[in-house]
Amino acid sequence: MKIRLLTIGLWVVVMGLLILQRFDEKPSLITRILAVYQEQGYKAGDTLKRGQIISTTDGYLQIWLGDQARVSLAPRTSIELMRLFDDEMVIRLNRGRILVSTDSQIPLVIRTNQTESLIINAVASFVNYDFLEEIHLIPIEGTIQTNIKSTGEYL
């Protein structure tokens, strides 16, 4: 009987902690679409949410992440807004080309299958050739730190 009560008590504590962690999230950054050019399904001013996947077909989009960063998507590009908080921004580039510009000291992380790049107060272009499993990173202004996942090497 004591073991059963102990098991039930432990289960209640674990479930309570999981529920508390789920609802104890930091508030997300306000993320909006700034500009749309020849792209169906999106309008300037649309609000985007954490976890949302944004894909372009034949047009261009520009996304505003709070007042810290801008991300421009080229045609046939797909990204996922993974984490969007005041002190942390993470975007996953699934395929295509993006231009990223950050204006603050808050890090923006761009993840792909092969790399993870940290951008602080910089401008960079990323091209993810998903069919070739190849990434091109072009720093335009500032410095970018990139981790190659397969080797653990930092560039």
Side-chain angles (χ1 to χ4, degrees):
M1 182 67 176
K2 287 182 180 182
I3 292 176
R4 181 173 265 198
L5 286 174
L6 183 62
T7 303
I8 291 172
L10 183 61
W11 186 82
V12 168
V13 168
V14 168
M15 289 298 123
L17 289 173
L18 287 173
I19 291 170
L20 179 66
Q21 182 166 351
R22 170 67 178 108
F23 292 107
D24 193 29
E25 286 275 330
K26 301 179 270 185
S28 285
L29 284 176
I30 296 171
T31 305
R32 296 188 188 280
I33 295 178
L34 279 181
V36 179
Y37 179 73
Q38 295 182 343
E39 184 60 40
Q40 302 294 323
Y42 298 102
K43 297 182 304 212
D46 283 353
T47 302
L48 304 171
K49 296 180 181 175
R50 182 175 57 89
Q52 189 170 350
I53 295 175
I54 296 106
S55 297
T56 59
T57 52
D58 294 325
Y60 297 85
L61 287 178
Q62 187 173 51
I63 298 170
W64 179 65
L65 305 173
D67 58 354
Q68 286 98 357
R70 284 189 170 87
V71 179
S72 300
L73 287 76
R76 291 171 297 286
T77 298
S78 175
I79 64 170
E80 179 183 353
L81 304 173
M82 296 182 72
R83 299 186 58 80
L84 299 171
F85 302 116
D86 286 335
D87 59 348
E88 175 186 25
M89 298 180 289
V90 180
I91 293 176
R92 178 171 180 74
L93 175 59
N94 297 321
R95 71 170 191 274
R97 298 176 307 227
I98 61 172
L99 178 69
V100 178
S101 172
T102 63
D103 299 331
S104 71
Q105 295 299 317
I106 298 169
L108 171 62
V109 176
I110 305 293
R111 287 187 183 155
T112 66
N113 287 341
Q114 295 84 13
T115 64
E116 186 169 293
S117 300
L118 182 70
I119 304 166
I120 299 175
N121 202 15
V123 179
S125 176
F126 292 84
V127 182
N128 184 359
Y129 298 103
D130 59 333
F131 56 92
L132 295 174
E133 296 185 13
E134 188 174 295
I135 305 296
H136 291 188
L137 166 62
I138 304 145
I140 297 170
E141 183 179 304
T143 57
I144 287 77
Q145 178 184 9
T146 300
N147 176 19
I148 301 172
K149 294 178 184 177
S150 63
T151 63
E153 199 175 353
Y154 284 90
L155 305 174

